[in-house]
Amino acid sequence: MFSPRPCSRHRLVQGGIGAMLLAGAVLGAPAVLAEEIAIACGSGDAADYCPIAARQWAEQTGHSVQVVSTPNGTTEKLSLYQQLLGSESSDIDVLMMDIVWPGMLGNHLVDLNDYLPEGATEGFFPALVDNNTVDGRLVAMPWYTDAGLLYYRRDLLEKHGHSVPETWQELTETAEAIQAAEREAGNDDFWGYTFQGRAYEGLTCNALEWVASHGGGTLVNAEGEVTIDNPRAAAALDLAASWIGNITPEGALNHTEEETRGIFQSGNALFLRNWPYVWSLANGEASEVAGKVGMAPLPHGPEGESKATLGGWNLAVSRYSEHPELAADLVAFITSREQQKAHALRMGMNPTIESLYQDEEVLASNPSMSELYETLTNGVPRPATVTGDAYARVSNAFFNRTHQVLSGDLDGASAVQQLGRELERLGRRGW
C-alpha cells in the first residue's frame, strides 16, 4: 500500500501479495508484518515521479511507503537532512541526495554494498558511481543526472555564416560578430552569451567548466591535493571576465539558471550555458525561439577538451533506518533500468544508466538524449567527495573569488593564488 501521510511504522499485510500472506495466517501460519518506509525525495519534477515509483514498489512488496516533502531549495534541504541525521533520527529511511552531498553526509549513510547484490552498479556512468563512493563505501545510487551544455540559435549561426564554436575563443569571436550585427539590425537588447554569474553554487559549476576545459584541473584532485593555482586556471577566469559587458550583460553577475534561460528564450541571446532541462522549455509553446535552438558540448580552451560539470540526484539509505534492507530494496527499485526509463519517458529526466541513451523509445521521446551522452561520459564531478564536510567552504571560496574576477576586483592570477592558499588551509584541517 502507498501512504502519503504519516501513519504507524508497521501493519498487517493487506491486499495483493499481502492478501495471500494474510490468508496463510488464517490457515495457521504466523501473520506477516509489513513495514512502512519513509522516503524524502524532494520536490519539483523529480518528486512528481517519486510517488509513482514508490507506489509500484509498495504494490509489489506489500509494504507501504510514506513520501516526505522537503524544502525546494537545496541549501534548506541539506540543512534539514543534517538536522535529522545529526540527531540520529529514524524518521526517514531513504533520502534523495544532491550530487555534492555524499562526501558531506557519508558517515550517516549505510554502505549499499552490504545490501545490494554484487554488480548492482554495472551499467551506470562510472563517474557517478565514483562520486557516490566514500572511502570505499557506496553511500548512494545514481538516480538521474545533469551536465552543463551549450545552447545556441541555429537560425542566427546560419544567417550570419558561423558554425558552432568548439573553443571558448571561437565562442567569444562569434558572439561579438553576431551581437554587433543583430544590434545593428535593431535589437539593442541582444547579447552574445549568457551564463550563471551570481556568487552561488551555479557559478562554481560554470567556473569549474572553464578551468577544467583549459587544462587547469578541478580545484582539488582525487588525492586531496589543491591544484587551482596554475596559469591555465588563471587564463580561464580572465577570459570569462572579458565577456562581462562585452558579450554578456553586466546583470549576469546576479543571474542564476532561470534568469539566463529567460534571456535566451525571449530571443535576446545567441549562446546560453545551462542544464538539459532547458531543451524542452526553449522548444515549448511559450518560447520565442522554439524550433530554432541547437545543443552542443561546451567549448574548451586552447590546451584542453570540453568539460561539463555533473549535476543530478541520488538515493541513499540513512544509517539510522530501522529497516535498512527494505530501504535499500526501494532504492534499487527506483534506480533500476525499468524505472529510469519510465522517468525519462514521463518526466524527461536524464538516466544514469548508459544503455538508456541508445534506447529507441527514450530517444524518440527526447532526441537530445543522444547528444547528451558524450557530454555525460566526459563530465566533471565537483570535488565534493574528496573534500567531504569541507566542500561547502571549498565551493564558497571558489565562487567568491571567481565573482571578484568577473566583477573586475581581481585578476585571474591573483584569484587562483589567493584561492590556492585558502584551500590549502582548509585541507590542513582535514577533508
Side-chain angles (χ1 to χ4, degrees):
M1 285 188 171
F2 175 77
S3 171
R5 59 185 183 275
C7 59
S8 62
R9 296 291 288 173
H10 55 78
R11 59 180 173 76
L12 282 173
V13 177
Q14 298 178 19
I17 296 174
M20 292 186 287
L21 295 172
L22 191 57
V26 173
L27 294 174
V32 176
L33 279 178
E35 306 294 349
E36 181 185 77
I37 300 299
I39 178 171
C41 54
S43 53
D45 290 342
D48 291 341
Y49 186 76
C50 178
I52 297 172
R55 183 183 297 113
Q56 292 176 9
W57 179 84
E59 290 172 351
Q60 289 187 22
T61 63
H63 299 288
S64 63
V65 178
Q66 175 194 353
V67 176
V68 180
S69 296
T70 58
N72 288 332
T74 54
T75 300
E76 293 78 11
K77 200 189 305 285
L78 175 61
S79 296
L80 174 62
Y81 285 0
Q82 289 173 323
Q83 180 181 350
L84 285 168
L85 296 172
S87 64
E88 301 186 4
S89 169
S90 62
D91 289 345
I92 304 295
D93 301 284
V94 178
L95 303 96
M96 179 177 164
M97 306 263 299
D98 188 275
I99 195 170
V100 297
W101 295 349
M104 302 167 67
L105 302 178
N107 290 337
H108 297 285
L109 307 173
V110 305
D111 183 356
L112 291 170
N113 287 317
D114 293 339
Y115 299 97
L116 301 182
E118 187 176 348
T121 59
E122 289 182 8
F124 287 77
F125 284 105
L128 298 177
V129 175
D130 291 344
N131 180 84
N132 293 347
T133 303
V134 180
D135 296 328
R137 301 170 60 249
L138 180 66
V139 299
M141 284 291 285
W143 184 19
Y144 67 93
T145 188
D146 275 328
L149 292 164
L150 181 71
Y151 292 91
Y152 60 90
R153 288 283 300 278
R154 287 188 294 104
D155 58 324
L156 293 182
L157 289 182
E158 182 178 344
K159 173 184 174 182
H160 295 285
H162 290 269
S163 58
V164 179
E166 294 187 3
T167 69
W168 291 112
Q169 188 58 43
E170 289 173 0
L171 178 143
T172 304
E173 294 169 359
T174 300
E176 288 175 339
I178 295 181
Q179 177 179 297
E182 288 297 302
R183 288 187 177 184
E184 187 176 343
N187 187 354
D188 294 335
D189 296 325
F190 191 84
W191 291 95
Y193 183 47
T194 181
F195 64 89
Q196 299 78 49
R198 181 183 292 183
Y200 79 121
E201 185 68 21
L203 181 53
T204 288
C205 295
N206 278 261
L208 184 60
E209 290 162 350
W210 305 332
V211 169
S213 68
H214 273 75
T218 56
L219 297 180
V220 179
N221 66 18
E223 288 70 45
E225 300 167 336
V226 176
T227 63
I228 187 60
D229 187 3
N230 67 80
R232 293 181 182 180
L237 298 185
D238 283 333
L239 177 60
S242 75
W243 299 331
I244 304 297
N246 178 27
I247 59 172
T248 301
E250 291 188 7
L253 296 173
N254 199 37
H255 286 172
T256 64
E257 282 82 358
E258 282 300 275
E259 289 87 2
T260 59
R261 179 176 71 84
I263 294 171
F264 183 79
Q265 198 167 305
S266 64
N268 288 324
L270 173 65
F271 296 119
L272 163 70
R273 182 272 177 205
N274 215 310
W275 303 98
Y277 83 98
V278 168
W279 177 260
S280 59
L281 295 173
N283 286 291
E285 293 182 2
S287 174
E288 296 291 330
V289 296
K292 304 174 183 178
V293 178
M295 188 176 72
L298 290 165
H300 58 80
E303 299 179 87
E305 57 184 17
S306 175
K307 295 293 182 183
T309 303
L310 290 175
W313 291 81
N314 313 274
L315 293 174
V317 174
S318 167
R319 222 178 78 195
Y320 315 110
S321 168
E322 296 176 0
H323 311 290
E325 291 185 10
L326 283 177
D329 189 67
L330 176 58
V331 167
F333 180 86
I334 295 177
T335 61
S336 68
R337 190 182 192 281
E338 178 184 3
Q339 290 299 321
Q340 288 205 37
K341 179 175 178 177
H343 200 193
L345 294 175
R346 297 181 66 159
M347 310 298 298
M349 307 307 286
N350 306 305
T352 58
I353 294 175
E354 293 189 71
S355 62
L356 285 172
Y357 290 84
Q358 286 80 47
D359 184 279
E360 291 183 2
E361 288 184 84
V362 172
L363 292 178
S365 69
N366 187 352
S368 66
M369 288 281 188
S370 60
E371 298 181 46
L372 183 60
Y373 176 74
E374 185 176 349
T375 297
L376 290 169
T377 57
N378 294 317
V380 180
R382 281 160 276 177
T385 301
V386 68
T387 57
D389 289 341
Y391 174 72
R393 292 184 294 251
V394 169
S395 180
N396 189 277
F398 185 36
F399 65 64
N400 279 327
R401 289 289 174 262
T402 298
H403 197 266
Q404 288 180 295
V405 176
L406 297 179
S407 303
D409 298 327
L410 279 178
D411 61 25
S414 299
V416 298
Q417 184 181 64
Q418 292 181 25
L419 181 59
R421 291 172 181 169
E422 285 183 78
L423 299 188
E424 291 284 4
R425 286 196 296 271
L426 285 174
R428 284 196 291 271
R429 297 176 194 169
W431 50 39

